Amino acid sequence: MLAAAAAAAVPPAASCYSPLKPARCGGRSRTRFFSMLVVGVFPDGILSVTILFCHRRWGISWRCRAARVEAGFSQLEVRKVTYRPPGTEHNLLNEINLSLREKSFGLIFGRSGSGKTTLLQLLAGLSEPTSGSICIQKYDDSGNPIGSSEMLTSQRVGIVFQFPERYFLADTVLEEVTFGWPRQKADTLFKEQLAVNLQNAFNSVGLTTISLDEDPQSLSGGFKRRLALAIQLVQTPNLLLLDEPLAGLDWKARADVVNLLKDLKKHHTILVVSHDLRELYPLVDCSWRMQMGGSLREETLPV
């Protein structure tokens, strides 16, 4: 309520008015009320939406409380990130710069050993940069930054490593996907939310047809990759990192995973490291080449 009142108190920089359909009162045929939609654009890129109700005869009016709706977009930004493993003298990554808009598909390619997976580990919070920053920055529709950037935390990132099925530990699908969930100390609402997230994740990756009692190692290669994705999606990450998602799969499983990633792209920001450029090319919005020595440059896919 306080935020709504503050929104109504700040005058918009620009506004427009759109009359809505007349409203009847008490079912009478003669219209005494009419309404109007008022949309204001504030200098900070925020929209204010107000509906005015007016009485034609008495000249009085009232309005509903204003709602402020954020416009624009967010994007991942890697700013001059350098990484040198502790106890060594050489950098594995050198002043990496990267920007990936939300709900986009980015792909990093390059020779093995150039530092691609190392960068994913930094983004996932498994290692810390020696210098530079990794953050989320919001922008208005004109591309101007809104406020200060927020540091990207590991809780907002999901990562699926190459050959993720090698890291399965449990005897059943249910135990595997819930491994690491809080047991005793978590409140009931939190557990219920996790259960809802689990159902949504299984729906997203197409795992609704398998039994939760099935052994994860008995699944096909494609379904193992789907399970690995579902485990990460349960946490509803802002950023999904995939290391060689097509490696080791037959042609049918590869096609299935590509179609799955196409659907996931509609709701998630995805950054992939891969050598399978031709198959992933239709999904890619941005691409970068990692060069030996740990330097990154934006480059179109050579396909």
Side-chain angles (χ1 to χ4, degrees):
M1 294 295 292
L2 186 59
V10 180
S15 60
C16 62
Y17 302 87
S18 176
L20 304 177
K21 292 182 178 180
R24 295 185 180 184
C25 180
R28 297 180 180 178
S29 59
R30 298 185 65 181
T31 300
R32 296 182 182 274
F33 294 90
F34 67 96
S35 56
M36 182 176 294
L37 178 68
V38 183
V39 179
V41 182
F42 291 81
D44 58 359
I46 305 298
L47 300 181
S48 172
V49 182
T50 305
I51 301 179
L52 300 178
F53 297 93
C54 304
H55 192 285
R56 292 178 182 269
R57 180 177 178 182
W58 297 332
I60 62 173
S61 65
W62 64 96
R63 64 181 180 181
C64 68
R65 62 189 181 94
R68 289 162 66 84
V69 182
E70 291 192 12
F73 60 93
S74 299
Q75 70 179 19
L76 166 70
E77 295 193 351
V78 179
R79 301 172 178 174
K80 295 186 177 180
V81 163
T82 295
Y83 178 66
R84 178 185 303 171
T88 65
E89 298 180 355
H90 300 285
N91 295 339
L92 296 184
L93 299 175
N94 290 284
E95 293 198 351
I96 300 295
N97 291 288
L98 178 151
S99 296
L100 182 63
R101 189 163 172 165
E102 62 182 340
K103 298 181 181 178
S104 295
F105 192 102
L107 189 147
I108 301 174
F109 63 99
R111 293 173 57 186
S112 298
S114 58
K116 303 185 299 297
T117 299
T118 300
L119 178 57
L120 292 190
Q121 292 173 349
L122 292 180
L123 292 171
L126 301 178
S127 302
E128 294 185 1
T130 304
S131 62
S133 62
I134 302 172
C135 58
I136 301 294
Q137 178 66 59
K138 294 182 179 180
Y139 292 88
D140 62 23
D141 289 329
S142 299
N144 301 311
I146 301 176
S148 301
S149 59
E150 302 177 5
M151 299 302 296
L152 180 66
T153 61
S154 59
Q155 291 79 11
R156 304 170 68 179
V157 183
I159 182 169
V160 179
F161 293 105
Q162 185 175 2
F163 301 115
E165 55 274 11
R166 297 177 180 177
Y167 305 100
F168 290 166
L169 300 173
D171 296 326
T172 68
V173 169
L174 180 61
E175 291 174 346
E176 185 64 46
V177 80
T178 59
F179 184 81
W181 282 22
R183 302 298 177 182
Q184 302 297 331
K185 296 182 179 181
D187 60 68
T188 303
L189 289 178
F190 181 67
K191 290 182 179 180
E192 290 177 351
Q193 185 59 56
L194 283 176
V196 172
N197 292 349
L198 173 58
Q199 183 63 55
N200 292 336
F202 269 50
N203 291 339
S204 297
V205 302
L207 283 180
T208 55
T209 59
I210 67 171
S211 170
L212 295 179
D213 294 325
E214 194 166 348
D215 184 349
Q217 297 297 346
S218 69
L219 299 175
S220 67
F223 273 85
K224 288 177 181 177
R225 298 296 163 88
R226 291 171 184 263
L227 178 58
L229 284 167
I231 291 171
Q232 298 302 318
L233 292 175
V234 168
Q235 306 300 330
T236 61
N238 297 110
L239 174 65
L240 187 60
L241 307 173
L242 309 178
D243 192 0
E244 299 290 353
L246 305 184
L249 300 178
D250 60 35
W251 66 271
K252 183 180 185 306
R254 293 165 73 94
D256 289 342
V257 171
V258 170
N259 289 331
L260 172 59
L261 295 179
K262 181 179 180 180
D263 290 335
L264 291 177
K265 173 187 172 182
K266 300 173 184 177
H267 307 286
H268 299 84
T269 306
I270 302 176
L271 181 60
V272 173
V273 163
S274 182
H275 291 92
D276 302 300
L277 308 186
R278 187 174 300 277
E279 290 165 286
L280 294 173
Y281 173 78
L283 308 181
V284 174
D285 298 302
C286 303
S287 57
W288 302 264
R289 179 189 291 274
M290 184 73 78
Q291 302 181 84
M292 298 302 293
S295 60
L296 188 73
R297 70 180 185 188
E298 189 168 357
E299 183 178 316
T300 56
L301 295 180
V303 295

